[in-house]
Amino acid sequence: PARGGDGVTARDADVIVVGAGPAGAASAILLAEHGLAVRLLDRARFPRPKICGEYLSPEAPRVLDRLGVLKTVDGVATPLAGMRITAPDGTVITGRYRAIGPWRPYREHAMAISREMLDEALVDRVRALPVDFREETRVTGVLLEGGRVAGVEAVDGDGRALTLRSQLVIAADGRASVIAQRLGLRRAHRLQRMALVTHVTGLPGPLQAAEIFVDPPDYSIINPLAPDRANVSLVVPLSHAAPWGGRLEAFFAARVKQLPHLARRLAGARPVAPVAAMGPLAYEVLPPRHGGVLLVGDAAGFYDPFTGEGVYSALRGAELAAETAVRALRAGDCSYLALAGCTRARRRAFGGKERVARALQFVIAHRRLANLTARALARRPELLDLLLGVIGDFVPPRALLGGFLR
């Protein structure tokens, strides 16, 4: 590498991927398998803890299988046969993941797995490939040349400034994406919620399904990670939790007591991890207006999907980005127009489910409507299974309209 006055300038790569979470690791794996020169950067050293709902939809294993990590994930994940939802009035409905008409899930169950284990499986796969993987390397800026992104500025673990150049940059650097922020793409969302996440032990079993407790304006999700450990996520209005920034455990405990059905479920359980906070959950990211850059995973935006599941969209988004990147690089054209197809593909892949998520958010925000919906679904369990198929990413959202009209 040639050294400049303001740091080190690295030799060119075809692609720089910023962020080694599920979206970034998957992108790096897929691109390396196409024979591209890939440089993967992350500010952390793996394995590392990460705030997450720790839930994988039934279709996520399809992508994990393609990436070569499903066998590893199967060895440590907990299968979830379905979802058990408790309405504000105590109505309980239980749906399961199953084949519905012509639509079959890759697996007839979802999965709960700690993010540390999932990320470690993906990073181990990255290490087995000819990928230049640099941990403890913090991206600080974007190189712009002639209206396109030409690389990134970074600082390594020794504090050295780096100038890293490539034909294409894939931003997979999460909710606080430096790339999205430097390009002025991030926007606030009107849905202002915060997630509080912890792990507990001592829940009575058997733990065979994800559990959701709706009690407006809050809802909570329990994902069993192991026979003696569960992820508990509590989603509340951001304005309610923000003043408690230094006393999250106290706020969490007090809030649980205000949700009677959740409080009864957690009676006797004890926390085995600190309460961590993440918010605002929802935010918008505009499509890039420059060539030379693609956004994947949470860096491309996030809308609270009610189940807390964002890993499938990260993995599927990586597939779409890799397909676009390979075409563009082989054609020698990473212009804005050449890469814009990825934005359209993302809309086709995720737009319908996002509309369903918006409708669910409206329902769970209104106590009476949430109760009425739960009672209606209790009378029509096949419709609940159809809804789980949409949430589980294997039934097209348009199928819901036909289901409701029957």
Side-chain angles (χ1 to χ4, degrees), residues 285-323:
V285 176
L286 301 175
R289 298 184 295 270
H290 298 80
V293 64
L294 292 170
L295 275 62
V296 296
D298 288 355
F302 187 79
Y303 186 85
D304 182 5
F306 179 52
T307 62
E309 200 274 339
V311 174
Y312 171 76
S313 61
L315 297 173
R316 179 61 183 137
E319 285 187 314
L320 298 175
E323 291 165 7

Side-chain angles (χ1 to χ4, degrees), residues 6-11 39 143 152-154 161-165:
D6 58 349
V8 174
T9 300
R11 292 192 183 99
R39 182 173 290 127
L143 293 178
V152 299
E153 302 281 0
L162 305 174
T163 299
L164 304 174
R165 307 180 68 86

Side-chain angles (χ1 to χ4, degrees), residues 68-351:
V69 301
L70 182 57
K71 184 176 180 180
T72 300
V73 170
D74 275 338
V76 293
T78 298
L80 305 174
M83 193 171 288
R84 186 176 184 266
I85 303 171
T86 302
D89 65 359
T91 300
V92 177
I93 52 176
T94 302
R96 62 189 180 92
Y97 301 110
R98 61 178 180 85
I100 297 175
W103 303 294
R104 303 186 64 87
Y106 197 79
R107 291 280 180 83
E108 291 199 349
H109 58 77
M111 291 179 171
I113 179 173
S114 78
R115 268 296 298 274
E116 191 169 333
M117 290 181 176
L118 175 63
D119 289 357
E120 185 175 10
L122 288 164
V123 164
D124 282 349
R125 175 65 180 142
V126 167
R127 296 188 200 280
L129 294 168
V131 173
D132 179 7
F133 179 32
R134 304 188 184 190
E135 299 170 90
E136 297 181 316
T137 301
R138 179 171 55 90
V139 170
T140 57
V142 180
L143 293 178
L144 289 174
E145 295 180 356
R148 66 177 295 274
V149 174
V152 299
E153 302 281 0
V155 177
D156 69 13
D158 295 323
R160 294 185 305 168
L162 305 174
T163 299
L164 304 174
R165 307 180 68 86
S166 64
Q167 298 180 65
L168 177 66
V169 171
I170 293 182
D173 47 342
R175 305 177 59 81
S177 170
V178 171
I179 307 297
Q181 291 181 24
R182 294 293 186 271
L183 295 178
L185 303 178
R186 181 166 169 139
R187 297 290 184 273
H189 196 285
R190 61 182 178 83
L191 185 65
Q192 294 285 295
R193 293 180 179 273
M194 176 176 280
L196 305 171
V197 182
T198 188
H199 286 182
V200 302
T201 189
L203 275 179
L207 305 177
Q208 298 175 335
E211 302 177 38
I212 297 182
F213 296 83
V214 178
D215 201 331
D218 306 342
Y219 65 94
S220 181
I221 308 165
I222 299 177
N223 283 320
L225 299 170
D228 61 345
R229 193 178 186 96
N231 176 301
V232 180
S233 301
L234 178 63
V235 180
V236 303
L238 182 64
S239 59
H240 293 198
W244 293 77
R247 298 175 291 161
L248 289 179
E249 274 78 8
F251 177 82
F252 186 91
R255 199 71 171 201
V256 166
K257 291 179 181 178
Q258 296 177 25
L259 281 67
H261 307 299
L262 174 66
R264 281 194 291 272
R265 183 69 178 100
L266 295 179
R270 60 181 181 85
V272 289
V275 175
M278 181 171 62
L281 275 183
Y283 53 92
E284 296 177 349
V285 176
L286 301 175
R289 298 184 295 270
H290 298 80
V293 64
L294 292 170
L295 275 62
V296 296
D298 288 355
F302 187 79
Y303 186 85
D304 182 5
F306 179 52
T307 62
E309 200 274 339
V311 174
Y312 171 76
S313 61
L315 297 173
R316 179 61 183 137
E319 285 187 314
L320 298 175
E323 291 165 7
T324 300
V326 170
R327 284 196 303 269
L329 289 165
R330 286 180 175 166
D333 181 7
C334 289
S335 65
Y336 163 77
L337 288 177
L339 301 177
C342 190
T343 298
R344 294 191 293 272
R346 286 182 58 84
R347 287 174 181 156
R348 289 192 296 271
F350 306 129

Side-chain angles (χ1 to χ4, degrees), residues 2-58:
R3 185 178 299 273
D6 58 349
V8 174
T9 300
R11 292 192 183 99
D12 289 345
D14 294 321
V15 186
I16 292 174
V17 180
V18 183
S27 297
I29 292 166
L30 294 168
L31 293 170
E33 288 179 344
H34 277 92
L36 296 171
V38 180
R39 182 173 290 127
L40 176 63
L41 313 175
D42 199 284
R43 64 188 304 164
R45 177 163 290 280
F46 287 76
R48 51 94 170 95
K50 187 75 173 178
I51 302 173
C52 184
E54 301 183 311
Y55 165 94
L56 305 180
S57 76

